[in-house]
Amino acid sequence: MAVSRTTVLIGAFLSVLTNGIDSQREERFIYGAFPPDFMWGVATSAYQIEGAWNEDGKGPSIWDTFTHTPGRTLNGDNGDFACDSYHKIHDDVEMIARLGVQFYRFSISWPRLLPDGTLYHINEMGIAYYNALINALLSHGIQPMVTLYHWDLPQALQNIGGWYNESLVEYFNDYARLCFHRFGDRVRYWVTFNEPSSVSWLGYGIGIFAPGLEEPGTGPYKATHTIIKAHVRAYYTYQREFKPGQRGMVGISVDSDWKEPASDSHVDREAAERAILFKLGWFADPIYGASGDYPDVMKEYIGKKSHAQGLEYSRLPSFTEEDKMQNRGAADFFGLNHYTSQIVSHHENKPHSPDYGHDQDVQNIHDPNWKNSTLDWLKVVPWGMRKLLRWIKARYGDVPVYITESGVSDFGRLADRDRVDYFRMYINNVLQAIHEDGCNVKGFTAWALMDNFEWTSGYSQKFGLFHVDFTDPDRRRTPRDSAIYYAKIVHQNGYMKMLREFKKKCERIYQKEKEI
């Protein structure tokens, strides 16, 4: 008997359930639900989506300056118009509501509120924009998670040295206080800085991000020192002045790849640990660690290299004892951005040229068998997520972790099976970390809500659950397959057993009809 149409349809449905993944190549997968209080979200950032770069009193940011400089970005792309989200609040919120998520992580543009970065002039039209966005989210039952700094420093503050200048600790605190005061009655989750290592290394070390400074031996360390102090100052401002009434939480989002040792040798295992500490521990140890200070291995290696370079002092700045006391515990949650992994081996670098990358004495490579994305640095390695979460738990204890970004790039297909596979396996590794490793993960945030300006890659790389037509003046948005899939995970709060049982039932029907 010929195979019936019912059999064909069931077979197609099973293919969707397994997302086309070859079972022989598939990583370990478990079924189950996330904890009842687990939160699902989606994220964007101001410069990448808002546009309206010089409208309604907004001042210029370092990314406005950077992208308006020829040769800085692919095709000369910039965020002048971007997704036009400044004029499309309701379109954006309707997209978020379709996903069924509990929160939306977005950033506030510092120069949109304070055109010169200071309280000298408060731009009330900028305040009104974010009030309207927050109120629209809440009207749909979506909690705002607000990032105060997602890389768009007011250009006026860069003109006085940017994050090299410790006066920015006070300027940032003034800006944070303004946000807490104007929006905090409706915002429960605050992220002070997004991926500060990208600011320090890419912006002040090798100069490929704004503000474009190339001082690899000292720039990243000086910028980081100010950023950590600024985070800590803003955290305590919230604790003293706002938390008793607003009852919100303040954290910081650090990014890290998982670093897998190239071999089981002692030197490679130490190198992998050292690489994580130079990346994630650089910011996390002072805030979440017991010492309130930079990792010992950073102080040792940078001090040793600095001495060999004929310097009297280490290129790594020092915290005072008072600083360390303030640093310790200065966060209510741990924000983690994670995308990919590397294979790490020990590689001793000669100390001739001061360089944050050389200070680590490591070599990072990718396994050629790992699945590619459309970005060279982003290989799909789902098990790295679980290993990194276990590492955080082992080093920093039971701190609540919100995964504040995770996602994968492509060139813009609506049938984005690779992104579906990415979320399927990365999120499942989070589930394994919770159920089997006891990791205290409280939420997951998909990057990104929609295609946007992807920094120096311009508009060539697409991370969005929703496609944006950048040739359309109206910036029409269209859901991808990954938006539908992510919404299903959110709706089920994981991978429910009933779905597994339904899948088995479909398999039995499929086999029975084939036999007939």
Side-chain angles (χ1 to χ4, degrees), residues 304-337:
K304 181 173 59 178
K305 294 283 176 89
S306 299
H307 178 74
Q309 290 153 0
L311 300 175
E312 188 175 349
Y313 300 103
S314 173
R315 288 179 281 106
L316 181 68
S318 298
F319 289 116
T320 66
E321 291 305 313
E322 183 180 359
D323 288 337
K324 295 174 192 176
M325 289 181 61
Q326 291 286 304
N327 292 344
R328 283 196 298 269
D332 299 314
F333 63 88
F334 191 116
L336 174 66
N337 293 0

Side-chain angles (χ1 to χ4, degrees), residues 205-421:
I206 56 177
I208 63 172
F209 275 15
L213 302 183
E214 297 182 52
E215 299 180 9
T218 56
Y221 301 128
K222 290 192 295 183
T224 291
H225 208 64
T226 305
I227 288 171
I228 291 174
K229 288 185 173 185
H231 161 80
V232 171
R233 183 70 57 86
Y235 174 79
Y236 284 110
T237 292
Y238 188 83
Q239 299 302 303
R240 288 190 305 266
E241 301 178 25
F242 299 96
K243 191 177 182 72
Q246 297 179 0
R247 301 180 183 277
M249 299 191 297
V250 177
I252 185 170
S253 287
V254 296
D255 67 302
S256 184
D257 308 329
W258 172 248
K259 310 289 187 177
E260 183 73 7
S263 74
D264 197 41
S265 69
H266 180 69
V267 291
D268 283 349
R269 285 187 284 110
E270 279 196 339
E273 179 78 359
R274 189 165 63 249
I276 296 177
L277 288 168
F278 261 82
K279 177 76 168 180
L280 186 148
W282 189 14
F283 291 88
D285 262 37
I287 297 166
Y288 303 97
S291 68
D293 201 359
Y294 294 118
D296 287 341
V297 70
M298 288 190 73
K299 293 188 288 184
E300 176 191 349
Y301 271 67
I302 300 165
K304 181 173 59 178
K305 294 283 176 89
S306 299
H307 178 74
Q309 290 153 0
L311 300 175
E312 188 175 349
Y313 300 103
S314 173
R315 288 179 281 106
L316 181 68
S318 298
F319 289 116
T320 66
E321 291 305 313
E322 183 180 359
D323 288 337
K324 295 174 192 176
M325 289 181 61
Q326 291 286 304
N327 292 344
R328 283 196 298 269
D332 299 314
F333 63 88
F334 191 116
L336 174 66
N337 293 0
H338 174 73
Y339 291 85
T340 191
S341 299
Q342 285 99 37
I343 302 292
V344 179
S345 59
H346 176 76
H347 177 77
E348 187 171 349
N349 292 299
K350 300 300 181 184
H352 300 310
S353 300
D355 188 297
Y356 160 78
H358 293 167
D359 287 341
Q360 303 174 46
D361 279 351
V362 301
Q363 183 174 54
N364 296 287
I365 63 168
H366 292 118
D367 187 324
N369 295 314
W370 289 346
K371 187 175 182 178
N372 293 320
S373 72
T374 54
L375 287 166
D376 289 342
W377 62 267
L378 206 173
K379 308 298 181 182
V380 179
V381 191
W383 49 261
M385 173 71 85
R386 181 179 177 185
K387 288 194 172 187
L388 187 58
L389 290 170
R390 288 196 309 216
W391 189 94
I392 292 169
K393 176 181 172 63
R395 189 164 186 89
Y396 305 118
D398 204 35
V399 58
V401 176
Y402 288 84
I403 296 164
T404 42
E405 281 185 29
S406 189
V408 70
S409 62
D410 66 12
F411 289 136
R413 296 184 300 274
L414 291 178
D416 55 342
R417 172 164 289 183
D418 287 345
R419 185 172 291 109
V420 169
D421 290 348

Side-chain angles (χ1 to χ4, degrees), residues 417-477:
R417 172 164 289 183
D418 287 345
R419 185 172 291 109
V420 169
D421 290 348
Y422 178 99
F423 282 126
R424 179 176 189 267
M425 293 309 300
Y426 271 69
I427 292 172
N428 198 261
N429 272 273
V430 177
L431 185 66
Q432 293 174 43
I434 293 171
H435 285 312
E436 300 181 7
D437 306 322
C439 295
N440 189 19
V441 187
K442 307 297 288 185
F444 180 90
T445 315
W447 182 271
L449 171 63
M450 57 186 155
D451 297 337
N452 51 51
F453 175 77
E454 190 52 41
W455 309 114
T456 54
S457 298
Y459 295 97
S460 67
Q461 301 295 326
K462 316 296 185 182
F463 277 86
L465 295 171
F466 287 81
H467 169 268
V468 178
D469 184 355
F470 291 105
T471 67
D472 180 358
D474 198 43
R475 295 302 195 259
R476 182 168 54 90
R477 288 98 150 103

Side-chain angles (χ1 to χ4, degrees), residues 179-221:
C179 292
F180 298 151
H181 174 64
R182 295 297 192 96
F183 311 124
D185 59 326
R186 288 152 293 153
V187 176
R188 290 193 57 221
Y189 303 93
W190 296 95
V191 176
T192 53
F193 289 87
N194 176 77
E195 291 189 14
S197 68
S198 296
V199 176
S200 299
W201 176 233
L202 303 182
Y204 290 84
I206 56 177
I208 63 172
F209 275 15
L213 302 183
E214 297 182 52
E215 299 180 9
T218 56
Y221 301 128

Side-chain angles (χ1 to χ4, degrees), residues 503-515:
K503 176 184 172 184
K504 288 181 177 178
K505 182 178 179 181
C506 289
E507 287 173 341
R508 289 195 295 270
I509 296 172
Y510 182 62
Q511 290 299 323
K512 185 176 180 180
E513 290 214 2
K514 282 206 303 184
E515 291 170 3

Side-chain angles (χ1 to χ4, degrees), residues 3-13 506 509-510 513:
V3 177
S4 73
R5 182 173 183 273
T6 302
T7 301
V8 172
L9 290 174
I10 292 173
F13 179 73
C506 289
I509 296 172
Y510 182 62
E513 290 214 2

Side-chain angles (χ1 to χ4, degrees), residues 21 29 39 151 267 307 376 483:
I21 297 174
F29 189 92
M39 296 180 65
W151 306 353
V267 291
H307 178 74
D376 289 342

Side-chain angles (χ1 to χ4, degrees), residues 54-59 111-112 114-115 121 123 125:
N54 61 354
E55 291 185 35
D56 294 343
K58 178 187 172 293
R112 195 176 294 284
L114 302 174
H121 171 60
N123 181 24
M125 296 189 76

